[in-house]
Amino acid sequence: MRLTAAAGLAAFEGLALVAGGVWMLVRGLTGHPDDRTSAVTGGITLVVLALLPLLAARGLLGRRSWSRGPAVITQIMALPVAYNLLQADSVAIPAGIVLAVVAVTALVLLVNPETTRALGIRGPGNVQK
């Protein structure tokens, strides 16, 4: 159950990145941004970055041991973003709160010993004989 929850949170983050990237891309191409090139580049970057949590979510659901690394990296990258959102004086503060809660919850789920066992990850020095 922890593994499924962690995969769900990673997928949620990936889908949020895709949505944000598509929104930036559409606004950059159809709106009147200050810098069209930056808007388009930012949108494409967000869509590409979404691949990491989406692939990690798929791997977690498939109980692939490699998937924990990208999932943990995604959460670690999300924490500074959440912090920056929390520093804003705008509607970004609720988004920062949600992102921080999701990232911390996912990290706790990913480093849980039961999740580690479910993924077949052994600690250092625990080689199979």
Side-chain angles (χ1 to χ4, degrees):
M1 186 158 148
R2 287 177 179 89
L3 200 53
T4 303
L9 291 173
F12 172 74
E13 288 171 325
L15 293 174
L17 282 169
V18 168
V22 168
W23 180 80
M24 281 182 71
L25 200 55
V26 168
R27 295 279 296 167
L29 293 173
T30 62
H32 301 288
D34 293 337
D35 184 0
R36 186 175 308 275
T37 303
S38 292
V40 171
T41 303
I44 292 169
T45 301
L46 285 180
V47 171
V48 170
L49 283 175
L51 293 175
L52 185 65
L54 291 173
L55 288 172
R58 183 179 170 130
L60 289 170
L61 286 175
R63 294 181 181 243
R64 305 282 190 256
S65 61
W66 60 262
S67 61
R68 188 171 80 161
V72 168
I73 289 169
T74 298
Q75 307 320 315
I76 291 171
M77 289 180 359
L79 290 173
V81 174
Y83 178 79
N84 284 332
L85 290 172
L86 290 171
Q87 300 304 310
D89 279 338
S90 68
V91 296
I93 292 173
I97 293 169
V98 170
L99 182 57
V101 168
V102 168
V104 170
T105 302
L107 277 172
V108 168
L109 291 169
L110 289 165
V111 299
N112 186 285
E114 289 185 31
T115 303
T116 302
R117 278 192 295 278
L119 291 171
I121 299 171
R122 293 184 298 275
N126 294 330
V127 294
Q128 190 174 14
K129 296 179 182 180

